[in-house]
Amino acid sequence: MTAPLTVGDRRRAALERLHGPPASTRTSTAGSARRSPSSPVDTAAPRRWLRTSAKHRITPAEARARLGAARTGRATRTAQLGPPTGTYYAIAAVVGVFVMLGLVMVLSASAVTEANLGHSPYRIFGKQAMWAGLGLVSLVVAARYPYQIWRKLVIPLGVFGVIAMCLPFAPGLGANVNGASSWIRIGGFSLQPSEFLKLAVVVLAADLLARRVDDVVEARRAIVPIALLAGVGAGLCLAQGDLGSAVVLAAIVLSVAWIAGVPIAHLATVTVGGAAIALLFVVSSPRRLARFTAFTNVAEEKDHLAYQIYQGYLSIASGGLTGSGIGGGKGKLGYLPYAQSDFIFAVIADELGLVGTSAVIGGFLLLVAFGIQTALAAPDRFGMLLAGGIATWFGVQAIVNLGGVVGRLPVTGLTLPFFSAGGSSLFVSMTAAGLLLSVARRVVRS
């Protein structure tokens, strides 16, 4: 019986399908590749184009441009999306259920607290619903147009991301929340630039490694640029005091690099270096170190640094098998800080019980699995890297958030995608889901 294929085997098969065999085996098959019209990259193509009749002859520059387009997946023909696939509908269903359930849980978690503060019970819910509407428009637009058009926006996206990350330090714009200067407040609205930076970074990383298909093992051409991209993105987040977003950004870049075929040894070196910098960031402040390690000693710190984690424990324990019902939870009545944002999973556990939490965790597993399937079936290298990066983004961010809520990881203030109150997170997550749907439909040429 044939052994089942691992994810690594499927990744290598997808790379060979898109770009041919590895460079080590390409030399021995060069002759047959020139004779085969179905060869992924025909190195003799420019010469053959130049030998065509005078009527159709093109210049050497045009020949090189066509060869470059073939290598990077940029065809000169019009790109159109194919018909929706089963994976497309599955991703859309999971995201739709998540957004609707998230709106219900945000209302349930925030209504009483807002009323006690003298505000409208629907204040936070109204903002979240508005962002969900904007996110739906962005999702539909991203899903309806070929994802390759984002390659034309990589430089503006990168510039926008860096400028946005500097705005929280501007007088009158920035806001400090729990020691993190990672928010912009304009009137009654607030934005978190690191959420938009995640979208910019995943597109930048995918485009960079899609262009350098033959250079992924070269330090100067691929490894150093990828390390710089991860370092700049994570460094900007650390400068704001946002360790959770720094971890997610680094994970996005490293996952895209792994999918692209960058050697594990190089990725391990970058990972160890990044982990060392993050550790220095944590230990540089006694207060930050105490908060970071509070999850290891909840019993003694339950009235101080681990108060939020302990109250989360109580909410989760109160839920039982089926929960207390929507609106019936007690932890959100002022006992559980940030119940509608960072710790909304504890409210879900309280009101929907083990059944509800299992459905939420299972939904994220499905979303990541369908994202990986989309990457493996992508028609070009950029689509494969983009889908893989987005799937990693959703998976890692969910793990960091859930790990903090259940006391197995430090609490970093990271949102749970599609659920936590936070317009920036919801809008950007839905936009990324739209890109994933676009890749799932695949690009056909006409």
Side-chain angles (χ1 to χ4, degrees), residues 1 111 119 123 156 183 383:
M1 181 180 295
H119 302 149
R123 187 176 75 94
W183 293 87

Side-chain angles (χ1 to χ4, degrees), residues 230 245-257 388-389 392-393 396-397:
S245 293
V247 171
V248 174
L249 279 166
I252 290 172
V253 176
L254 293 175
S255 67
V256 171
T392 302
W393 169 3
V396 171
Q397 186 158 332

Side-chain angles (χ1 to χ4, degrees), residues 3-67:
L5 293 176
T6 65
V7 173
D9 294 332
R10 298 180 68 187
R11 177 178 69 95
R12 285 189 292 272
L15 287 171
E16 291 187 11
R17 172 175 60 82
L18 292 173
H19 310 295
S24 58
T25 61
R26 205 173 284 164
T27 304
S28 61
T29 59
S32 59
R34 292 191 186 97
R35 292 189 298 269
S36 173
S38 60
S39 178
V41 177
D42 191 350
T43 57
R47 293 191 294 273
R48 187 170 65 250
W49 287 334
L50 291 174
R51 289 197 301 267
T52 55
S53 64
K55 181 179 177 180
H56 301 289
R57 186 169 295 165
I58 62 175
T59 65
E62 292 174 326
R64 286 192 296 269
R66 292 189 185 183
L67 179 60

Side-chain angles (χ1 to χ4, degrees), residues 111-437:
V112 175
T113 303
E114 289 298 304
N116 291 337
L117 294 174
H119 302 149
S120 168
Y122 302 100
R123 187 176 75 94
I124 294 179
F125 169 77
K127 291 182 179 180
Q128 190 77 350
M130 180 198 72
W131 281 107
L134 294 175
L136 179 61
V137 174
S138 182
L139 182 150
V140 171
V141 170
R144 286 181 62 87
Y145 289 92
Y147 55 88
Q148 289 181 342
I149 64 175
W150 286 75
R151 303 190 71 175
K152 302 177 182 178
L153 305 174
V154 289
I155 294 179
L157 280 173
V159 173
F160 170 77
V162 172
I163 293 176
M165 290 296 288
C166 296
L167 291 180
F169 301 105
L173 284 179
N176 188 294
V177 179
N178 289 332
S181 302
S182 57
W183 293 87
I184 302 171
R185 283 189 178 163
I186 303 174
F189 292 92
S190 58
L191 296 173
Q192 193 169 14
S194 59
E195 295 295 337
F196 296 91
L197 184 63
K198 293 171 190 174
L199 183 62
V201 163
V202 71
V203 176
L204 281 165
D207 179 71
L208 173 66
L209 291 174
R211 293 175 184 272
R212 302 180 180 183
V213 55
D214 295 326
D215 302 322
V216 292
V217 298
E218 294 186 13
R220 185 178 63 86
R221 293 282 296 163
I223 299 166
V224 171
I226 279 294
L228 286 175
L229 180 59
V232 170
L236 289 171
C237 293
L238 290 180
Q240 296 179 350
D242 188 356
L243 179 62
S245 293
V247 171
V248 174
L249 279 166
I252 290 172
V253 176
L254 293 175
S255 67
V256 171
W258 180 79
I259 296 169
V262 174
I264 294 293
H266 298 310
L267 295 180
T269 302
V270 175
T271 302
V272 170
I277 294 174
L279 182 60
L280 289 175
F281 170 78
V282 171
V283 301
S284 63
S285 168
R287 179 177 178 273
R288 187 183 296 123
L289 178 61
R291 289 184 58 192
F292 187 81
T293 57
F295 78 100
T296 63
N297 195 14
V298 176
E300 293 186 8
E301 296 287 346
K302 65 180 182 180
D303 294 324
H304 184 41
L305 295 174
Y307 176 79
Q308 189 180 27
I309 301 175
Y310 181 70
Q311 292 299 322
Y313 283 173
L314 297 181
S315 295
I316 294 172
S318 300
L321 180 62
T322 58
S324 56
I326 300 294
K330 301 294 191 298
K332 64 189 181 184
L333 303 178
Y335 301 104
L336 179 61
Y338 299 100
Q340 74 278 4
S341 56
D342 304 356
F343 269 61
I344 196 167
F345 185 75
V347 178
I348 295 173
D350 191 353
E351 301 187 354
L352 301 182
L354 180 62
V355 175
T357 56
S358 298
V360 170
I361 294 173
F364 276 108
L365 291 175
L366 286 176
L367 187 59
V368 173
F370 288 129
I372 294 173
Q373 178 61 38
T374 299
L376 293 172
D380 59 18
R381 184 178 180 83
F382 177 69
M384 178 179 67
L385 300 180
L386 183 64
I390 293 173
T392 302
W393 169 3
F394 290 154
V396 171
Q397 186 158 332
I399 289 172
V400 174
N401 177 273
L402 298 180
V405 173
V406 301
R408 292 298 177 265
L409 291 174
V411 177
T412 61
L414 206 60
T415 58
L416 184 63
F418 305 107
F419 284 92
S420 296
S424 306
S425 175
L426 181 59
F427 176 82
V428 175
S429 296
M430 294 181 72
T431 303
L435 283 176
L436 194 59
L437 290 172

Side-chain angles (χ1 to χ4, degrees), residues 84-101:
T85 61
T87 302
Y88 174 95
Y89 288 115
I91 294 173
V94 172
V95 172
V97 171
F98 273 7
V99 172
M100 290 187 290
L101 180 59

